[in-house]
Amino acid sequence: MGFTDFISSNFTEFLTYTGFANATSGNIIMIIAGAFFIWLAIKKDFEPLLLVPIGLGIILGNIPFRADAGLEIGLYEDNSVLNIFYQGVRAGWYPPLVFLGIGAMTDFSALISNPKLILVGAAAQFGIFGAYMIALALGFEPNQAAGIAIIGGADGPTAIFLSSKLSPNLMGAIAVCAYSYMALVPIIQPPLMRLLTTKKERLIRMKPARQVSQTERILFPIIGLLLTTFIVPSGLPLLGMLFFGNLLKESGKTTRLAKTAGSALNDIVVMLLGLTVGCSTQASEFLTMKTIYIFFLGFMAFAIATASGVLFVKFMNLFLPKSKKMNPLIGNAGVSAVPMSARISNNLGLEYDRHNFLLMHAMGPNVAGVIGSAVAAGALLGFMS
């Protein structure tokens, strides 16, 4: 073989390894979707800490290559770097670590000062069970329906944790759906909140919350851990780390550990989680009719959760004296998109009364929603296992 033939033959072989030769229409669609996520994050400021890693992960996971080449570069190829990172998602390591960070950053004072707000957080979890029933009606198996329904808790790590246990084949679609709708909470919730409340209700002013002592803040994670895990032991990985992180924060003696858990460690885990979740959306696995159903069910779950929280506050107001009535706008915060949904409650309240600050009141059901979604995930895991 001459030198020219050698170069020509090897160059032709090289071309078969390139992305241009292996690209499919599905890859192009998913790469455009990843770029759109990045655009939403940067241009529209929709949860950039989540959507930038996920968006780039979607692009990374859909770079075409020869599957039979044994290059060990794809997410689903054993021993590849991405596959090693993906173990944290598939085996459920990342979500508890994220909950550790959430606990270390969360102030439960608003909930402690007004314990009845936990009922609002619990009511919002009806979005999970409403979506579960709809998923069953659409023909999903019970374990798949449970994995999809947890999207209604508006908690990405919880959705990943539960779907990794019950419906791993749908985990990529569930995770991307959960994070997408979390980022779109400012668009989804306000129209529903306006629809379900009157102007008079939106103008309700709530009394300032009482001061919470340090003793109460220290006891809360211990008592909360015992109560929730005794009821739902299967939620221990998430609830245990959530309350552990909060105890580190509130003890006053472990500030360094709390800062590490809530900043550096949390940032590292969120980066790896977002990137690998995005990479898991390879076109061949993601672009199916089931994915469309999952996004529809995710929207229904968010809508039901928002409506349930708002309507439950209105129901509670029927039994509360006039001086203690609650503004129904805080009901949307029962979903655990912390603190975004609480900010939406506050912003909408200020829109109708620029002196009516609802943020601290909304944080009560918001943090209750974090606990509620973890409890709901534990309950579903216990039943489905």
Side-chain angles (χ1 to χ4, degrees):
M1 181 184 292
F3 179 74
T4 303
D5 291 337
F6 174 79
I7 294 296
S8 175
S9 173
N10 280 274
F11 183 70
T12 303
E13 178 69 13
F14 167 76
L15 290 178
T16 66
Y17 285 87
T18 65
F20 297 103
N22 293 281
T24 65
S25 58
N27 294 135
I28 303 303
I29 291 170
M30 292 308 299
I31 288 171
I32 292 171
F36 178 65
F37 271 49
I38 296 172
W39 179 82
L40 284 176
I42 297 172
K43 186 69 175 179
K44 298 297 183 181
D45 199 30
F46 286 173
E47 288 293 312
L49 296 181
L50 294 175
L51 292 193
V52 167
I54 290 174
L56 190 66
I58 292 173
I59 295 173
L60 191 61
N62 283 280
I63 300 296
F65 61 91
R66 267 182 63 173
D68 62 348
L71 299 174
E72 295 186 350
I73 56 174
L75 183 85
Y76 296 106
E77 290 185 281
D78 291 339
N79 302 318
S80 73
V81 173
L82 289 176
N83 183 263
I84 293 169
F85 288 160
Y86 190 56
Q87 298 303 314
V89 176
R90 191 167 62 186
W93 307 336
Y94 293 150
L97 290 175
V98 173
F99 263 66
L100 174 65
I102 292 171
M105 293 185 288
T106 301
D107 184 353
F108 286 101
S109 296
L111 181 60
I112 298 169
S113 65
N114 191 359
K116 64 177 175 288
L117 292 176
I118 200 168
L119 297 175
V120 181
Q125 304 315 307
F126 185 72
I128 295 172
F129 298 100
Y132 177 71
M133 291 184 282
I134 298 173
L136 288 177
L138 288 175
F140 285 96
E141 296 174 8
N143 61 322
Q144 293 178 328
I148 296 167
I150 201 66
I151 294 170
D155 198 322
T158 304
I160 292 169
F161 178 79
L162 189 64
S163 59
S164 70
K165 305 294 184 185
L166 297 181
S167 47
N169 59 317
L170 302 177
M171 184 168 55
I174 290 171
V176 171
C177 178
Y179 280 118
S180 300
Y181 284 130
M182 282 172 64
L184 294 174
V185 158
I187 295 174
I188 296 172
Q189 288 194 325
L192 286 168
M193 295 161 69
R194 290 189 179 96
L195 178 67
L196 297 172
T197 57
T198 64
K199 185 176 180 180
K200 182 180 178 181
E201 288 173 329
R202 296 174 209 140
L203 295 173
I204 294 175
R205 290 194 181 187
M206 299 173 65
K207 289 184 176 180
R210 68 173 179 84
Q211 287 293 111
V212 176
S213 69
Q214 185 181 13
T215 301
E216 289 177 290
R217 292 199 300 269
I218 293 172
L219 288 175
F220 180 80
I222 299 170
I223 296 172
L225 173 65
L226 292 172
L227 286 176
T228 55
T229 55
F230 266 64
I231 295 170
V232 188
S234 48
L236 185 60
L238 298 180
L239 292 164
M241 296 301 273
L242 175 71
F243 288 120
F244 173 46
N246 190 244
L247 184 60
L248 291 177
K249 173 182 181 292
E250 300 297 357
S251 69
K253 302 296 182 181
T254 51
T255 305
R256 280 176 52 195
L257 298 181
K259 285 182 177 179
T260 300
S263 56
L265 178 61
N266 188 68
D267 291 343
I268 291 168
V269 175
V270 167
M271 278 193 293
L272 293 176
L273 179 62
L275 189 70
T276 49
V277 161
C279 287
S280 70
T281 62
Q282 289 184 7
S284 57
E285 303 283 334
F286 191 82
L287 293 178
T288 64
M289 186 58 67
K290 280 188 174 181
T291 300
I292 296 173
Y293 285 154
I294 288 169
F295 271 79
F296 166 72
L297 288 165
F299 177 80
M300 292 302 299
F302 265 68
I304 294 169
T306 301
S308 299
V310 173
L311 292 174
F312 188 76
V313 175
K314 289 164 67 85
F315 174 74
M316 289 180 70
N317 280 346
L318 297 175
F319 305 96
L320 294 173
K322 187 175 181 180
S323 62
K324 293 186 178 180
K325 289 190 184 298
M326 297 187 291
N327 192 314
L329 292 178
I330 70 170
N332 76 295
V335 300
S336 62
V338 180
M340 187 187 298
S341 53
R343 287 181 187 148
I344 292 168
S345 306
N346 187 63
N347 292 342
L348 209 57
L350 291 173
E351 186 179 315
Y352 293 93
D353 179 354
R354 59 192 182 93
H355 299 294
N356 191 10
F357 296 95
L358 296 172
L359 183 60
M360 289 310 298
H361 300 292
M363 283 303 297
N366 207 187
V367 297
V370 176
I371 299 171
S373 66
V375 169
L380 289 171
L381 181 60
F383 282 119
M384 297 301 152
S385 294

